[in-house]
Amino acid sequence: PGVLFIRQTHCNEAAWTKRTIFSVPSFPWEISPSALRSCMSAWVIDQYGTDGVLKYTEEMPVPSVGSTSEVLIRVHAASLNPLDISMKGGYGAKLLNLRRDPMSVMAGASEFPLVLGRDVSGEVVDCGSDVTHVVPGDEVWAAVPPWKQGSLAEFVTLTEYEVSHKPKLLSHTEAASIPYVANTALSALVNAGGLCRDSASNKRVLITGASGGVGTFSIQLLKAWGAHVTVTCSQNAEGLVRGLGADEVVDYTAGDSLELLEMMEKFDVILDNVGGETEEWATGLLKPWSGAKYVTLVSPLLLQTDSMGLLDGMLQAGLSLHNKAMQNIISCGVFYRWGFYAPDGPALDEVSKLVDAGKILPVVEAQFPFTQVPQAFQKVENGHARGKTVVRVVEDDDKRAEGLGRTRRSEAADSEQEEREMATQN
Ligand SMILES: NC(=O)c1ccc[n+]([C@@H]2O[C@H](COP(=O)([O-])OP(=O)(O)OC[C@H]3O[C@@H](n4cnc5c(N)ncnc54)[C@H](OP(=O)(O)O)[C@@H]3O)[C@@H](O)[C@H]2O)c1
């Protein structure tokens, strides 16, 4: 059955009544929510900044299916990534605005009000005429590209290609913790790192910054593919990463971490989630002259286009990538590459199978109701992630998986959540 919202007055959530319909084939019930409702609740920014720019509104226009390949999704849960914190401050604005309006046809148009939030788990409510993979009523998950309006809203539109059926065993809250880090890790490990399900077996992979969103997903994916996984993280994350399958764990806060890594057998692939100084020593840990690859997720591209402008920034970033790649290939025969998130629904279909097979667990460190999005941002901004921070957009999300203990949670996450709940009650 579909769910239809019938509009009674103007843009007031309380004035909507919910009516369940059963296979009514056509008019009047097959009208999309965007045709029936004009406004939705969302967290938006109207300007870039650090404090106080996030605003709750009930006046955000409901997006509509704008092309024949688009899908309108009712968001049940969203999650936050470090990118949301950076984008709130204006990070990447120049390049993302170019992607939003490549021909600059919308002269004078602004990206504001801008909705952040890169992950969605929810339900399809409307589809363009060419969409064949999903139908209204399907439960889906997706990573929302940063150049599109995000998922901290009641509805979001995506193309069919970006959307995938959500794993059946996960609640929406759990499912929302995976898509953006999964699409990023897969793009980095497969496209830049040259690994895949069939080639990863027994490959030695090092993941730096393994206790966060990308790392906790990557450990599980690589173990499902049969790789040998070494990670770096803080000492208090060791239990979490070992529980996810890491074979070797190096505490980067101990003074001897580099010596420990140098004593190990060399690696085929390094996935660097930390950047900065790490890349100065990491390439030396790769097997020389063997096609080994260093892939960093921390590239200067967007920072440079922000500070230098599109043309100079891209030239400067391209030059620095070229120089590092040449230097590494000439001196020790290893590849130096940048990894980026890439939208990919079919890749999420594969992840969904691994989740339903119990090979990948969601790692939800903290969850917040939709009313507490600023607190969720603060949590992510504080750093030291142990998995993901999720926002429950719909509170009636089912709890089917939570009782089964499928979500991997660190002890620190449990006690933090308890403290937060007590603070809210007080
Ligand atoms: N290029 C792209 O398209 C793309 C896409 C996604 C993410 N990213 C970037 O990739 C990075 C990882 O993303 P994420 O979502 O996993 O971030 P995250 O959830 O914030 O996780 C980062 C983790 O690294 C740990 N850490 C910090 N410094 C470390 C160090 N020196 N050595 C080892 N571990 C360290 C942190 O814990 P402790 O501080 O407690 O140790 C935290 O657990 C971020 O910089 C993000 O912006 C890029």
Side-chain angles (χ1 to χ4, degrees), residues 97-108:
N97 279 340
L98 178 72
R99 183 67 206 255
R100 288 178 187 119
D101 183 15
M103 312 299 284
S104 299
V105 283
M106 310 282 284

Side-chain angles (χ1 to χ4, degrees), residues 92-100 147 301-302 305-306 310 314:
K94 290 216 170 92
L95 207 53
L96 294 172
N97 279 340
L98 178 72
R99 183 67 206 255
R100 288 178 187 119
W147 51 90
L301 176 63
L302 273 72
T305 50
D306 285 339
L310 283 173
M314 281 199 272

Side-chain angles (χ1 to χ4, degrees), residues 82 184 209 211-214 232 234 252 273-274 297 339-341 384-386:
T184 301
S211 46
V214 177
T232 69
S234 299
Y252 78 92
N273 293 301
V274 176
L297 287 177
F340 291 102
Y341 151 82
H384 309 298
R386 299 290 177 262

Side-chain angles (χ1 to χ4, degrees), residues 16 36 85 91 118 174 198 247 263 282 301 332 362 377 399:
W16 294 91
L36 289 165
I85 311 303
Y91 172 77
R118 303 272 64 90
E174 292 169 322
D198 300 325
D247 297 291
M263 276 166 16
L301 176 63
C332 45
F377 268 74
K399 300 275 184 215

Side-chain angles (χ1 to χ4, degrees), residues 25-293:
S26 58
F27 182 82
W29 311 115
E30 283 186 353
I31 300 169
S32 76
S34 50
L36 289 165
R37 292 179 58 174
S38 57
C39 296
M40 65 175 181
S41 306
W43 284 89
V44 299
I45 58 171
D46 290 318
Q47 59 179 327
Y48 296 120
T50 44
D51 298 323
V53 291
L54 267 173
K55 302 254 185 299
Y56 176 76
T57 176
E58 293 180 355
E59 304 294 321
M60 192 68 184
V62 175
S64 56
V65 167
S67 81
T68 54
S69 63
E70 271 190 330
V71 173
L72 178 68
I73 298 165
R74 182 177 190 226
V75 180
H76 281 243
S79 90
L80 295 186
N81 290 273
L83 180 64
D84 292 304
I85 311 303
S86 316
M87 278 178 69
K88 182 163 72 72
Y91 172 77
K94 290 216 170 92
L95 207 53
L96 294 172
N97 279 340
L98 178 72
R99 183 67 206 255
R100 288 178 187 119
D101 183 15
M103 312 299 284
S104 299
V105 283
M106 310 282 284
S110 150
E111 66 270 42
F112 302 118
L114 184 66
V115 183
L116 301 170
R118 303 272 64 90
D119 297 272
V120 53
S121 181
E123 180 190 353
V124 174
V125 288
D126 195 16
C127 296
S129 56
D130 288 343
V131 173
T132 54
H133 183 56
V134 293
V135 293
D138 283 1
E139 292 193 321
V140 293
W141 64 345
V144 184
W147 51 90
K148 293 192 171 179
Q149 287 291 46
S151 54
L152 290 169
E154 279 184 273
F155 296 96
V156 67
T157 49
L158 289 166
T159 63
E160 178 180 26
Y161 177 75
E162 290 155 351
V163 169
S164 159
H165 286 105
K166 151 187 171 295
K168 293 182 187 60
L169 291 176
L170 299 189
S171 66
H172 286 293
T173 305
E174 292 169 322
S177 69
I178 292 179
Y180 189 75
V181 293
N183 274 161
T184 301
L186 278 158
S187 162
L189 291 169
V190 176
N191 301 337
L195 295 172
C196 67
R197 190 181 51 188
D198 300 325
S199 71
S201 181
N202 298 322
K203 287 276 178 359
R204 287 183 52 77
V205 183
L206 170 66
I207 304 172
T208 66
S211 46
V214 177
T216 51
F217 175 83
S218 302
I219 296 170
Q220 300 184 81
L221 178 76
L222 288 163
K223 289 313 296 174
W225 286 354
H228 181 280
V229 179
T230 302
V231 306
T232 69
C233 62
S234 299
Q235 194 262 331
N236 66 8
E238 177 167 358
L240 171 68
V241 295
R242 280 209 191 274
L244 297 170
D247 297 291
E248 311 265 5
V249 181
V250 175
D251 170 14
Y252 78 92
T253 62
D256 60 351
S257 59
L258 186 51
E259 288 98 275
L260 285 174
L261 287 165
E262 282 171 343
M263 276 166 16
M264 291 177 178
E265 190 186 329
K266 295 216 180 287
F267 297 96
D268 297 288
V269 175
I270 296 176
L271 175 62
D272 186 3
N273 293 301
V274 176
E277 286 177 6
T278 307
E279 74 174 52
E280 286 166 23
W281 49 259
T283 49
L285 302 174
L286 288 168
K287 290 178 184 167
W289 308 108
S290 68
K293 294 166 190 82

